[in-house]
Amino acid sequence: MSAQIIPVDPFDYVVFGGTGDLAERKLLPALYHRQVDGQIVDPTCIYGVSRAEMSDDDYRNFAHEALKQYIKEPLDDGEVARFLSKLHYVSIDAKSDRGWDVLKGLLDADSRKQRAYYLAVGPSLFGDIATGLQAHGLITPETRIVVEKPIGRDLDSAHALNDTLGEVFAENQIFRIDHYLGKETVQNLMALRFANALYEPLWNSAHIDHVQITVAESVGLENRADYYDKAGALRDMVQNHMLQLLCLVAMEPPSSMDADAVRDEKLKVLRSLEPIREGNVERMTVRGQYSSGASNGGPVKGYLEELEGGESNTETFVAIKAEIANWRWAGVPFYLRTGKRLAKRVSEIVVSFKPVPHSIFGPAAGRMIANQLVMRLQPDEGVKQWIMIKDPGPGGMRLRHVPLDMSFAEAFDVRNPDAYERLILDVIRGNQTLFMRRDEVEAAWTWVDPILKAWETTEQPVQQYTAGTWGPSASIALIERDGRTWHEG
Ligand code: BG6
């Protein structure tokens, strides 16, 4: 079985930060894959932009190396040549007038094409680039701009950044990427909920006991100390990815997949989150930082050693008991946890249903375990619905907890696309459903800011955890206090 491919109209994609890490690891490989699958047609052009002086050929070599390094499947020489021929390079200094006119000359050569600017650069350059584009007449009414997180480091800075973009672009031109929304299982969550009659009647506090969302990583700082130490896990993962996942689990059914219909519902969830402040922060959150230990089969340094002697209180792990104060979810905790250098890389959403109200089976049948729906984002994407069945055989009635198991790799004979492949072309299609609207980003900060503030004022300690474990023991206590346990992924 394979997905139906619908080509998009020819476009010009301009990647600021064209020689950076994101372009190299994600954007160029994603565009190559979409070309191979027949979705990108001539005369599409992709422009790498950065400050460095470089020729088109140098850029093509850079891109070729990126494809070799980051694409797992064998490369097709003909496709590679075709892809590289679409690439061009322009040197622009975002803080001066240098280079803009060259870009304008290239883009104006065929101004009917859909145009998108991807800002794969730090947010401190968003303002300069947006105004540079405007000042040099590079924005048509159809132009779109794509921005990566972090969108601010608190509500005020997010507001300022959104204002800056808003001075130049209309909201329907701004595509704020959260790459978690491009992951297959995340989109499948919407399919499961809204394309099946089975779940929705049970999707509420009458039938669901609690929800767990885990995004565990085994990697550490990965040479991103400068950014990460100023951010920490709450800003880096919770404010965006984890809250977006929570929204998709908790939102009311939107009336359609129309971008604003979906985003309106997500916004309502964000605005219904119970605030966590000084008075309850110690009960509702745990923050941790890894010390040396073992990961991926070898010894690894602790966070402070990775920082090379720096002192830091930055959390590399966070667990939160979140509550949604609305009719559907009152009394159903959403336990969130994410961290670096955990026991393994696994991301999943676990929906735990309530136990049956009464058991007709005697003690010999064994323990009755409540149903769980486990949506695995990575690795090995898939969905498992855990149910109780009778142990096969002629003996007495004994019950067993087994999964109805849908592994996507086994069920579908298709390559699992990277999240960027979907998102990067949604920009060209003008589909904002999987992108964050301004008010969503700001509502997420409105909930996160008081937690950050409360951590400071209460001086809630950052608990150490050994690299390669599941985080500080306080995280286990956070959920066990409620008579529940973390799902073992
Ligand atoms: C990024 C964070 O947004 O997501 C990183 O900045 C994190 O710290 C990454 O490692 C995780 O993404 P994925 O797709 O590998 O789960």
Side-chain angles (χ1 to χ4, degrees), residues 149 179-180 183 217 224 236-237 241 340 345 378:
K149 65 173 255 280
H179 77 280
Y180 266 60
K183 291 188 189 270
E217 297 188 272
R224 294 163 77 220
D236 186 48
M237 296 297 288
H241 308 322
K340 302 254 181 223
R345 174 174 185 251
Q378 56 201 23

Side-chain angles (χ1 to χ4, degrees), residues 353 355-356 358-372 386-391 397-402 483-488:
F353 291 87
V356 291
H358 164 72
S359 173
I360 62 167
F361 306 100
R367 199 158 71 88
M368 194 93 93
I369 301 175
N371 299 132
Q372 280 181 329
W386 288 83
I387 55 167
M388 297 302 292
I389 57 149
K390 176 191 169 297
D391 209 2
M397 173 67 92
R398 267 184 287 280
L399 298 173
R400 250 167 80 173
H401 193 222
V402 294
R484 303 178 174 110
T485 50
W486 288 110
H487 182 257
E488 270 178 42

Side-chain angles (χ1 to χ4, degrees), residues 106 162 272:
L106 291 165
N162 282 328
S272 308

Side-chain angles (χ1 to χ4, degrees), residues 117-133:
Y117 299 107
Y118 198 120
L119 306 197
V121 295
S124 60
L125 285 177
F126 288 1
D128 291 321
I129 295 176
T131 44
L133 291 170

